[in-house]
Amino acid sequence: MLETVQGWVNEAGYIAVLTGAGVSAESGVPTFRDAQTGYWAQFRPEDMATEAGFRAHPQRVWDWYQYRRDLLADVEPNAGHHALARFAQQHPGRLTLITQNVDGLHQRAGNTGVLCLHGDIFSNRWLDTPRPCCHLDHAVAGQPPHCDRCGNLVRPGVVWFGEALPWATLQAAEDAARQCDLMLVVGTAGAVYPAAGLAHQARAAGAQVVVLNPAPSALDNTAHALLRGTAGTLLPPLLGC
């Protein structure tokens, strides 16, 4: 089956790739819930990844995200990240990378223009609509930082539970899904929407869909082909990188 999909890759004029937590797990990145260990295990996800939780305990939530940022400091992109980056560099305009991950490993591997559906854990933004006095570069240091004029708090630049995905990013991802000849769904259980819906959109638009995952996923029935294995094992030979 790998050789068949290699042929699809070679024939495809335009490829969309959707990646999930499994790609980063190979680099040792803990999942959202795996990171809630030790001291952090006492808190529910709703306490740590919702606007309400942040407003109720801003320092606690800020410190948890800083803890997660620190966990990522020594993590490196793996062979799967690098294979995607090399293919994109060798075939300009042929691949759009869409990710559910917030860890920035695709970008560190050399991918540009990554569509980050769930944001970027290393970026920040204002909690409330910024006023003219709000400038991230001049936020007062703290846990979390804040605007010294109006008190607006700085929050992590990720999508929390109950929040909409960034509209422009989602639109670009849906455009890629509808226009691609081939979609590779890599390292995701396919249970989180609207991200998982991209595979359905791609198939409905006539693209071939391939799921690469070590275990069964909720998108297996949508796929034309299933490749069992990790991104680091499968992507280098599949993409010739």
Side-chain angles (χ1 to χ4, degrees), residues 146-171:
H146 65 276
C147 175
D148 64 348
R149 297 285 298 277
C150 68
N152 198 357
L153 298 178
V154 175
R155 56 161 283 182
V158 298
V159 177
W160 281 332
F161 294 123
E163 294 182 330
L165 302 190
W167 184 85
T169 302
L170 180 59
Q171 287 295 115

Side-chain angles (χ1 to χ4, degrees), residues 30-220:
T31 65
F32 177 86
R33 287 174 173 78
D34 288 341
Q36 288 187 262
T37 59
Y39 169 77
W40 302 108
Q42 64 187 299
F43 304 112
R44 303 176 305 157
E46 293 80 2
D47 297 326
M48 310 305 288
T50 62
E51 180 180 329
F54 184 77
R55 289 187 184 278
H57 301 284
Q59 180 174 344
R60 175 197 297 167
V61 175
W62 181 264
D63 287 349
W64 186 63
Y65 277 91
Q66 188 57 53
Y67 164 73
R68 292 178 63 197
R69 289 167 172 170
D70 292 342
L71 287 178
L72 291 167
D74 297 323
V75 172
E76 296 295 334
N78 60 57
H81 295 109
H82 287 298
L84 288 167
R86 284 193 292 269
F87 184 91
Q89 293 162 2
Q90 294 169 7
H91 303 274
R94 281 190 63 200
L95 184 144
T96 292
L97 178 55
I98 309 159
T99 188
Q100 298 168 268
N101 301 332
V102 299
D103 50 48
L105 290 178
H106 284 302
Q107 296 90 320
R108 287 172 54 190
N111 276 109
T112 58
V114 181
L115 299 177
C116 299
L117 294 176
H118 296 157
D120 176 358
I121 198 170
F122 290 103
S123 69
N124 294 317
R125 61 186 179 91
W126 293 107
L127 177 62
D128 295 316
T129 302
R131 300 178 182 180
C133 59
C134 297
H135 301 282
L136 285 174
D137 291 341
H138 300 109
V140 178
Q143 296 169 278
H146 65 276
C147 175
D148 64 348
R149 297 285 298 277
C150 68
N152 198 357
L153 298 178
V154 175
R155 56 161 283 182
V158 298
V159 177
W160 281 332
F161 294 123
E163 294 182 330
L165 302 190
W167 184 85
T169 302
L170 180 59
Q171 287 295 115
E174 291 180 340
D175 288 344
R178 288 191 291 263
Q179 295 167 11
C180 69
D181 305 301
L182 172 67
M183 172 171 274
L184 305 179
V185 182
V186 188
T188 176
V192 177
Y193 283 78
L198 297 171
H200 296 285
Q201 292 181 36
R203 174 144 189 165
Q208 292 167 308
V209 176
V210 181
V211 169
L212 297 78
N213 210 48
S217 81
L219 292 174
D220 287 359

